[in-house]
Amino acid sequence: MSDLQSAVPPAAGSAPNSRTWDFMETLFVALLADGAFVLTGSVALMLLLAAYGGTKNLTTAEFQAVWEQGRWQASGIILGTPAAIAVLWAAVRIAGRGFADYLALNWPSRDVVVCGFGVMIILITIEAFVTIKLGLARPQTSSDLVVGGAAGLLTFAIGMCVGAPVLEEFLFRGFMFRGWSQSFLGPYGAIVLTAALWALNHTQYGWYERSWIFVTGLTLGYFRLRANSTWLTVMLHSGMNMAIVFLGGPYT
């Protein structure tokens, strides 16, 4: 079932200023949610480092270096995600809307799940083929592969395969897509803009990797629109990250 009926802003009698306000209001809340995530995740991570890592009074550069290590980055994501979702929930409830309805937290059909995973497998295969042909394979010494043993690897897997997909899909394909679909952008403009911002948000990667993230974002946005389900994009995002985590390494 298409999401067009619920996502497209009403054309008749819809004031341009109102649609502009929808765009700005959505962006403002998204920035608040991101700020809550960064603040909460950073504070929680500093407390964890002080309690278990034996590190105190890190400089900004030192903290950034620690954050980029897989186990600590995943810990920050896990601990910061609830704060970001709480901001989204509060904004939706203040507007008098149902959270699950606004973010399209609907369970997808089996057929669309199978179709979605099939498309994602094809996309990942094409990306791998092009990357290898261009000789642009990523080095295997990235700091995000530092996990500190089995417990760290488990934390990394949970953060990347559960925490990050829930956070990013609720924010980008859930809240921002819905709000911007009701603005002057319309649903297709919302797909493109959320995909672009999602790609730009991955600052740990270069432009080549971000271009593929953008394409992936377009694909996720399409399935969000087609199935009217953000849970579907969470599943697809999670499956993609699982493949990256379990095919990546070596972890140290």
Side-chain angles (χ1 to χ4, degrees):
M1 177 179 178
S2 174
D3 189 31
L4 285 172
Q5 291 181 341
S6 61
V8 175
S14 180
N17 287 342
S18 175
R19 288 189 235 172
T20 301
W21 174 251
D22 287 336
F23 176 87
M24 297 302 297
E25 188 176 45
T26 298
L27 178 61
F28 176 70
V29 173
L31 290 173
L32 284 180
D34 183 65
F37 165 74
V38 172
L39 178 61
T40 305
S42 298
V43 170
L45 183 55
M46 285 189 289
L47 293 175
L48 279 177
L49 288 171
Y52 300 104
T55 56
K56 297 180 179 180
N57 301 321
L58 294 176
T59 66
T60 302
E62 289 172 336
F63 181 78
Q64 180 65 29
V66 171
W67 171 270
E68 291 175 355
Q69 293 183 12
R71 57 175 171 170
W72 298 119
Q73 180 182 154
S75 297
I77 291 172
I78 294 169
L79 295 169
T81 292
I85 294 177
V87 171
L88 300 181
W89 179 86
V92 172
R93 295 302 297 155
I94 289 172
R97 306 292 298 275
F99 185 70
D101 175 67
Y102 192 84
L103 266 67
L105 299 180
N106 308 309
W107 199 249
S109 68
R110 181 185 62 183
D111 290 345
V112 77
V113 170
V114 172
C115 178
F117 275 106
V119 170
M120 295 304 291
I121 290 171
I122 292 172
L123 181 61
I124 291 172
T125 302
I126 293 173
E127 178 186 355
F129 177 80
V130 172
T131 300
I132 292 172
K133 283 295 184 181
L134 294 177
L136 297 174
R138 293 183 62 197
Q140 298 299 303
T141 56
S142 176
S143 62
D144 63 2
L145 302 179
V146 179
V147 295
L153 180 58
L154 178 61
T155 301
F156 180 64
I158 293 173
M160 295 299 108
C161 302
V162 179
V166 169
L167 170 66
E168 294 178 5
E169 295 309 315
F170 274 35
L171 180 60
F172 287 96
R173 255 69 61 177
F175 183 82
M176 296 175 74
F177 173 82
R178 182 60 180 266
W180 284 349
S181 291
Q182 296 171 170
S183 74
F184 58 84
L185 288 175
Y188 298 108
I191 288 174
V192 174
L193 186 54
T194 53
L197 292 178
W198 185 52
L200 292 173
N201 191 53
H202 288 75
T203 56
Q204 70 271 40
Y205 299 123
W207 289 108
Y208 174 76
E209 290 87 353
R210 290 190 203 181
S211 68
W212 282 106
I213 293 173
F214 173 69
V215 173
T216 302
L218 293 177
T219 305
L220 292 172
Y222 164 77
F223 278 105
R224 162 66 178 86
L225 179 63
R226 173 183 173 181
N228 189 28
S229 173
T230 300
W231 280 127
L232 173 62
T233 65
V234 170
M235 294 166 62
L236 298 179
H237 190 162
S238 178
M240 178 182 66
N241 283 10
M242 283 183 187
I244 293 171
V245 169
F246 289 102
L247 294 178
Y251 297 99
T252 58

